[in-house]
Amino acid sequence: NAKAKGRGSVSWFHDDMVDQLVSRFDLETALERALQTNGFSIYLQPIINRNASGRHFEALLRLDHPERGVISPGDFIDVAESTGLIVPIGAWVLEEACKMLSEYPDLHLSVNVSVQQFLQEDFVDQLTALLERYDFAPNHLTLEMTESLMIANFEITLSQLMAIRDLKIRLSIDDFGTGYSALLYLKQLPLDELKIDQSFISGVPHDSNDTSLVELIITTAHHLGLVIVAEGVETPEQEEWLRRHGCESLQGFLFSRPQPIKHYLPSFH
Ligand code: C2E
Ligand code: MG
Ligand code: MG
Ligand code: MG
């Protein structure tokens, strides 16, 4: 029609923005509804460590969207963060993880914690309450946080991490290498584990910049007494190289994609 013909790229851009707003609004509504109706689920992806006993998984959040099916955090985590909904959503994930841990004594779980959730004044109290309510070894729970979170709020972070360490819950730095933190900073934090971001692992063993960097991270992290996890391991060549260079834990599609809980814990719930 005439109106449509008269439109230039500017109004096309405008329509695109409207689409984005609608989709943001739709997502916010879907997230709110999911909180009320048990509309989230957790997928588990194994973390392989041949020296460790028991089984270890990372818990990864999914949204069961009524029309769009299962949605990954990449498509909704921004909206969850900017609306603050990540706080109750994250609390739900943590509680589900604690339930699983209390039902399976050989289980270890890693749970992602967002900045907003971590900066809740009562975050440590919430963890303490969970440890009282659910019976499991606290060192079977690992909290994964990004380095930007830790550096941006260094003072609060330090005292809060100390308090979490006192609870015997493990602490891991996620997506390591993507932020701005120097390895030196790490020395001051009570960490147990460091996860090398998959953007570096994807260059192993072919890209010499990536391999030098990963070698440096492994050496330094071991020097600091940290367990290293490589994320995004997709090929046998990566596995072989990482094992040869002393990386003890591996996670990635090579071993398994994230699977619904019932795949690994059939009797849960
Ligand atoms: P992350 O914590 O770094 O989790 C690893 C992501 O890499 C997961 O994406 C996983 O499915 C994906 N992945 C694992 N192995 C491979 C591989 O071999 N190749 C490739 N290409 N990807 C691999 P997912 O599940 O979509 O989660 C994305 C991010 O969303 C997570 O990154 C984490 O930052 C965030 N997230 C997930 N669950 C939660 C949660 O419960 N709370 C919060 N705050 N964030 C979460
Ligand atoms: Mg993670
Ligand atoms: Mg990660
Ligand atoms: Mg990552």
Side-chain angles (χ1 to χ4, degrees):
N1 62 32
K3 204 177 164 196
K5 261 191 215 147
R7 286 185 168 185
S9 58
V10 172
S11 53
W12 177 83
F13 176 66
H14 175 259
D15 284 349
D16 196 45
M17 281 176 60
V18 170
D19 280 352
Q20 277 185 30
L21 281 172
V22 169
S23 128
R24 265 187 97 78
F25 179 75
D26 172 60
L27 262 180
E28 187 176 340
T29 309
L31 292 173
E32 271 165 357
R33 189 167 47 197
L35 268 171
Q36 312 300 326
T37 60
N38 206 11
F40 290 103
S41 49
I42 292 173
Y43 277 42
L44 299 177
Q45 186 182 33
I47 299 173
I48 313 294
N49 183 340
R50 285 179 184 164
N51 308 318
S53 61
R55 20 179 202 168
H56 195 155
F57 301 96
E58 179 170 4
L60 294 160
L61 180 66
R62 296 291 182 265
L63 169 64
D64 305 317
H65 194 279
E67 286 101 39
R68 292 199 250 159
V70 177
I71 305 185
S72 291
D75 292 326
F76 66 82
I77 213 87
D78 285 352
V79 174
E81 296 265 4
S82 63
T83 55
L85 288 167
I86 193 65
V87 173
I89 297 170
W92 176 81
V93 176
L94 256 179
E95 176 144 16
E96 288 297 300
C98 293
K99 276 185 204 164
M100 284 183 252
L101 290 169
S102 68
E103 288 186 28
Y104 300 88
D106 68 325
L107 188 66
H108 296 249
L109 288 177
S110 293
V111 174
N112 295 285
V113 173
S114 80
V115 198
Q116 287 203 54
Q117 200 185 350
F118 181 78
L119 292 179
Q120 294 283 293
E121 251 173 54
D122 64 345
F123 184 63
V124 176
D125 295 338
Q126 290 174 33
L127 293 174
T128 309
L130 286 169
L131 289 175
E132 277 165 14
R133 197 166 335 135
Y134 297 98
D135 184 23
F136 63 91
N139 66 356
H140 286 207
L141 175 63
T142 299
L143 302 183
E144 296 190 1
M145 281 167 273
T146 61
E147 51 186 324
S148 45
L149 178 161
M150 302 201 190
I151 301 315
N153 315 282
F154 196 74
E155 289 306 319
I156 314 172
T157 302
L158 187 59
S159 60
Q160 186 137 305
L161 291 180
M162 299 285 195
I164 297 173
R165 199 250 301 266
D166 289 343
L167 296 175
K168 307 278 192 297
I169 291 172
R170 296 180 76 245
L171 290 163
S172 174
I173 189 162
D174 203 354
D175 301 340
F176 185 78
T178 58
Y180 302 96
S181 68
L183 281 161
L184 260 183
Y185 263 116
L186 292 183
K187 228 175 93 169
Q188 307 173 55
L189 299 173
L191 300 171
D192 299 283
E193 179 187 283
L194 182 155
K195 298 186 84 166
I196 307 176
D197 192 67
Q198 67 185 49
S199 57
F200 301 103
I201 303 305
S202 66
V204 170
H206 307 291
D207 183 315
S208 62
N209 288 324
D210 285 345
T211 52
S212 322
L213 211 87
V214 171
E215 277 192 67
L216 177 68
I217 295 173
I218 293 174
T219 312
T220 313
H222 279 164
H223 188 70
L224 298 174
L226 303 175
V227 169
I228 316 288
V229 183
E231 297 190 306
V233 180
E234 294 183 346
T235 69
E237 291 75 26
Q238 289 171 332
E239 176 184 11
E240 192 277 325
W241 188 94
L242 287 160
R243 288 202 193 283
R244 191 153 44 81
H245 287 82
C247 180
E248 48 271 269
S249 291
L250 308 173
Q251 179 182 0
F253 294 171
L254 177 65
F255 309 102
S256 174
R257 287 182 178 257
Q259 302 286 346
I261 294 174
K262 63 177 185 303
H263 181 87
Y264 289 111
L265 309 176
S267 64
F268 183 67
H269 278 322

